[in-house]
Amino acid sequence: MPNDTNKLWGGRFAAGPAAIMRRINASIDFDKRLYAEDIAGSKAHCAMLVAQGIVSPEDGTAIAQGLDRIKDEIDSGAFVFSEANEDIHLNIEARLAELIGPAAGRLHTARSRNDQVALDFRLWVRDAIDRCGDGLRELHAALIDQAEANADTVMPGFTHLQIAQPVTFGHHLLAYVEMLGRDRGRFADCRRRLNESPLGSAALAGTAFPIDRHMTAAALGFDRPTANSLDAVSDRDFAIEFLAAASLTGVHLSRLAEEIVVWASDPFSFIRLSDAFTTGSSIMPQKRNPDAAELVRAKTGRLNGSLLALLTVMKGLPLAYQKDMQEDKLPVFEAADALQLCLAAATGMVRDMQPNRDRMREVAARGFSTATDLADWLVRELNVPFRRAHHITGEIVRRAETKGCMLADLPLADLQAVEPAITEGIFAVLDADSSAASRTSFGGTAPSRVREAVAAARQRFLA
């Protein structure tokens, strides 16, 4: 093993590790993604050390300039990452020593890789939350726009995937607006809780140097420093919370994706997706496959798997830092990448889909979907108790089934044969459009309510 690696570990190690140990111990292949956060944290730490008189201004300037140069090298692709230096922290430290000499060794005063990685990871997750928040906002806007455009587009509402009652397409899309609103709230909660700086906790016990943790916390945009050094270096709740929020968002995206798959299928034909979000078949030229929706639906498994992976890594770990925690980053990186891609794909599909309004209205009238309206009419107009109205409606539905017609097509005589008090006024509630328009309760599907809900959603989620 090269002697420089032994020096990074400290003088106690006389011999280097075996090759297999180097491979299992190294994390540079994936934690190099933390380079910008690592450099930002190091610059804040250096400025604080200078302000506290722990490092000279001259050394502080050299360190800061060296770190800026390293960032430029990594940004441009000129930086050579070394597995021998294990991780992003040691890679940057080794390069800094090459650039400015012994002064580089002063940067690690009053900190450890334990609080350094905890800081880097918090900064990265915080930015990932903001990126996901931007993606959620774009999807929110797409759904709200489509809901407004389809406030009076009648479609069948389903329970058990059986036709239940007519609803509006706008109302259906607004259901996902509510789900995503809760998702944004969970990410915001996660961000608020993680926004404490672990820097200065050192290995686990704090430091004897007269550091100013509030200064570094403020410089890095944190609300405050963490209150306990042991917790600060061993906590990964923020990453688990991020994955939990990502997983539930993925569940919501998968539900939307499944509906898009169903709606775009030939038996339904409720919507059409363009070539931008579909693919063809290698042998069936007529096919238009909703592959983007199917992949969004599938990537939920990756999100859920990432959450379970990190929960398993952290289960049963004693305080404080353990090397197990090196395995915390890959699940988070993979989940963040997958979620951002899914959000972009879902937004594209929502904006791309063209509803087939005639087909939706046609299917909405099937399955005796206005039976509840009939029962409600009996209660309102004839003062019939609802349970009896339900029974009467069941008898009328059976007559329509026998005749093979819709409820609206039954002759008045057939309706009156079941309940003599029924009048022609019943026909005003038996078509799908009237049914949907009548659901004017707050949060209901009536077009008037949908337009109100759209305006409210723009204020809640997009203002």
Side-chain angles (χ1 to χ4, degrees), residues 253-319:
L253 294 179
S254 76
R255 297 181 73 178
L256 175 61
E258 168 66 6
E259 299 220 83
I260 289 174
V261 170
V262 170
W263 293 339
S265 68
D266 189 61
F268 274 75
S269 297
F270 285 0
I271 64 168
R272 180 180 175 84
L273 293 172
S274 74
D275 292 347
F277 291 96
T278 57
T279 64
S281 166
S282 61
I283 64 170
M284 294 172 285
Q286 82 281 8
K287 296 289 294 299
R288 184 186 291 270
N289 300 324
D291 284 4
E294 292 170 3
L295 288 166
V296 168
R297 183 176 62 187
K299 286 184 186 294
T300 305
R302 181 172 299 192
L303 299 174
N304 294 346
S306 294
L307 172 60
L308 182 58
L310 187 50
L311 284 169
T312 304
V313 167
M314 297 303 297
K315 185 195 77 67
L317 288 187
L319 297 176

Side-chain angles (χ1 to χ4, degrees), residues 144-167:
I144 291 169
D145 287 346
Q146 277 282 21
E148 184 172 38
N150 291 281
D152 55 2
T153 299
V154 174
M155 68 175 291
F158 297 91
T159 61
H160 309 279
L161 209 54
Q162 304 294 311
I163 294 174
Q165 293 177 270
V167 297

Side-chain angles (χ1 to χ4, degrees), residues 192-240:
R192 183 169 58 252
R193 269 187 292 276
L194 77 74
N195 208 36
E196 298 179 348
S197 172
L199 187 59
S201 298
L204 74 163
T207 178
F209 288 95
I211 63 173
D212 185 347
R213 294 189 62 209
H214 289 85
M215 177 182 174
T216 51
L220 294 166
F222 289 105
D223 295 330
R224 63 191 68 84
T226 52
N228 183 281
S229 60
L230 278 167
D231 177 59
V233 298
S234 61
D235 167 52
R236 292 298 184 270
D237 288 2
F238 63 91
I240 294 171

